[in-house]
Each structure stands twice: as C-alpha cells, then as structure tokens.
Amino acid sequence: MAIDDEIKQLFTAAQINLPESMKLVIELKDKFDITECSADTILQSIKTDDEQAGEKRVYLSSRIRESLNSCQRCPLYLSESNTRKVPGEGPLNSPLVLIGEGPGLDEDKQGRPFVGRAGQLLTTILDKLNIDRQKIYITNVVKCRPPQNRTPIKKEIDACSHNLELELSIISPKVIIALGAVPLNYFKPGSSIMRERGRWIVSKDYWIMPTFHPAYILRQQGKTLTKVKWAVWQDFNNAIKKLTELCPEAISKISCNKKE
Ligand code: URA
C-alpha cells in the first residue's frame, strides 16, 4: 500500500479529518510524480525559482481558491453584501505576508484584496519601501465581506480560519504584518492594537508585526495623523529589517525593479 494511502487510513481510523494542507501535499505528489515523503520538503520545493516550482504554485493557488469557493462554514457567504469570496493574492513563495481584516465594497466588487482606498494607501506605503506589491502575498482573516463593512465577529473568524491556515501552512512566510486588531487577535486573542502595535509576536515560526490598519490611518487628522503614520512607517521598516536578518536574499525577491 502506498504510504499516502496508509496516512489517509490512519486518519480515518482515528476519526480525524486529514488537514487540508496535507491533502494538497498528497495531491501535489500524485500530480507531479514526487517520490519524496516529507511534507516539509515538498512544500520547500515550491519555493525555488525553477519552472516546475512555478507550476506547482499555480496548481496550489487554484486548489486554495477552489477550497475557499466551496466554503459554507459561516453565514457570511450568504450575506447580501457579499457577492463573491475574496482570496489572498500573490506568490505562494513570498517570504512576507500582509493580513487585513476582510474585504470591503471595492474588494467584493473586484474579487481582490486591498484594492479600495485603504488598499491604495497600502500600495503607497509598499512603494515607498521599494516593495513590489505583486511580489508579496496579501490576504485577509475573513474572505467574505461582512454586512456594512462591520468588523467580523468571532464565530465568522473561527469559521473562516481554516482558509488562512491553509494559505500560511503552504507559504510558511518568515514575516507577517498584521494590519489592525482583527489579524492581531487572530494570532494573539484578547489583545489591543493600541498596546501591541510595533511589538513582535513569535508564533509557529512566524515573526508577526502588528500595526495599524491603513483604513485607521485614513480616519485620522492633524497631530494624531502624523503620529499614526510615523508608527506605521516604523512598523513596516522593522518588519523589513527583520526579514533581511532572517533571510538576506528575501529583499531582492520582493523589491521593485526600478528603471535607472
Ligand atoms: N480592508 C481589509 O482589511 N482588507 C481588504 O482587503 C480591504 C480593506
């Protein structure tokens, strides 16, 4: 019996559902004729720059989308404000992942994360840091737009968390920037963004930098605006510094190729 069948049988016998990431790894092995057994090594193999790694990433991205599209775990997918699921966007070998709260009106219309006003501000911040938005992975804690853009409730966040877990288990980024209280609380429940922003959280091998959400910056004025902008600028810079320390080659992978 093939080892993957044995794994499936063991999980079935123990009445445990095989984790989604494990199912995808097994599929990847079948599809690409991979003989390697360790899931970690297989996932590492999607990070390289060769052609087959690229094909594996395309395959996994479409499977992540399929899994998301079939999700009916909370009522948000039926909500009138939600016309489609908004998957994460970017390469699955990105060493940096940005996580927001959930799609707003523009994101719901376009089916892409961070494309409204807050998203434009986020792109400006990344530009100033010379980071190419298309070379990093950007996603949200919940993938369906909550009614009137309200903050997602715990039940919705819990129900949706398998989607983010799947993305993170495949990408295994070095550094995560948590944009606002919702992603902060996903990693560290019960915390306040006012207290925690700028302070590293280390969880499951990820270095997580919580900072203010770009929409929060857009709501500020006067001196508070200057203070909040400065805080976010420092947080992003610290995240990039940490990424350079952990993975010196990462920066060239995510930088804009500026013309001379
Ligand atoms: N706010 C978020 O948190 N996510 C988006 O995708 C857009 C706005």
Coordinates of all heavy atoms in Angstrom, one line a residue, residues 100-104 107 113-114 118 140 213, ligand 1:
G100 N -5.0 41.5 6.3 CA -6.0 42.5 6.7 C -7.2 41.8 7.4 O -7.1 40.7 7.8
E101 N -8.3 42.6 7.5 CA -9.4 42.2 8.3 C -10.4 41.3 7.4 O -10.6 40.2 7.7 CB -10.1 43.4 8.8 CG -11.4 43.3 9.5 CD -11.9 44.6 10.0 OE1 -11.1 45.4 10.6 OE2 -13.1 44.9 9.9
G102 N -10.9 42.0 6.3 CA -11.8 41.3 5.5 C -12.1 42.2 4.3 O -11.8 43.4 4.4
P103 N -12.7 41.7 3.2 CA -13.0 42.5 2.1 C -14.0 43.6 2.4 O -14.9 43.4 3.2 CB -13.6 41.6 1.0 CG -13.5 40.2 1.6 CD -13.2 40.3 3.1
G104 N -13.8 44.8 1.7 CA -14.8 45.9 1.8 C -15.6 45.9 0.4 O -15.5 44.9 -0.3
E107 N -13.3 45.6 -2.7 CA -12.7 44.2 -2.8 C -13.7 43.2 -3.2 O -13.4 42.3 -4.0 CB -12.1 43.9 -1.4 CG -10.8 44.6 -1.0 CD -11.1 46.1 -0.6 OE1 -12.3 46.4 -0.2 OE2 -10.2 46.9 -0.7
P113 N -8.0 41.5 -2.8 CA -7.9 42.1 -1.5 C -7.2 43.5 -1.7 O -6.4 43.7 -2.6 CB -6.9 41.2 -0.8 CG -6.1 40.5 -1.8 CD -7.1 40.4 -3.0
F114 N -7.6 44.4 -0.8 CA -6.9 45.7 -0.7 C -6.8 46.5 -2.0 O -5.7 46.8 -2.5 CB -5.5 45.6 -0.1 CG -5.6 45.5 1.4 CD1 -5.5 44.2 2.1 CD2 -5.9 46.6 2.3 CE1 -5.6 44.1 3.4 CE2 -6.0 46.5 3.6 CZ -5.9 45.2 4.2
A118 N -8.1 52.1 1.2 CA -7.1 51.6 2.2 C -6.1 50.8 1.4 O -4.9 50.9 1.8 CB -7.8 50.7 3.2
N140 N -6.6 38.3 3.8 CA -7.5 38.8 4.9 C -7.8 37.6 5.8 O -7.8 36.5 5.5 CB -8.8 39.3 4.3 CG -8.6 40.7 3.7 OD1 -8.2 41.6 4.5 ND2 -8.9 40.9 2.5
H213 N -4.2 49.4 10.9 CA -4.8 49.2 9.6 C -4.8 50.5 8.7 O -5.0 51.6 9.3 CB -6.3 48.7 9.8 CG -6.9 48.2 8.6 ND1 -7.3 48.9 7.5 CD2 -7.2 46.9 8.2 CE1 -7.8 48.1 6.6 NE2 -7.8 46.9 7.0
Ligands
URA1 N1 -9.6 46.2 4.4 C1 -9.2 45.0 4.7 O1 -9.0 44.6 5.9 N2 -9.0 44.2 3.7 C2 -9.2 44.5 2.5 O2 -9.0 43.6 1.6 C3 -9.6 45.8 2.2 C4 -9.9 46.6 3.2

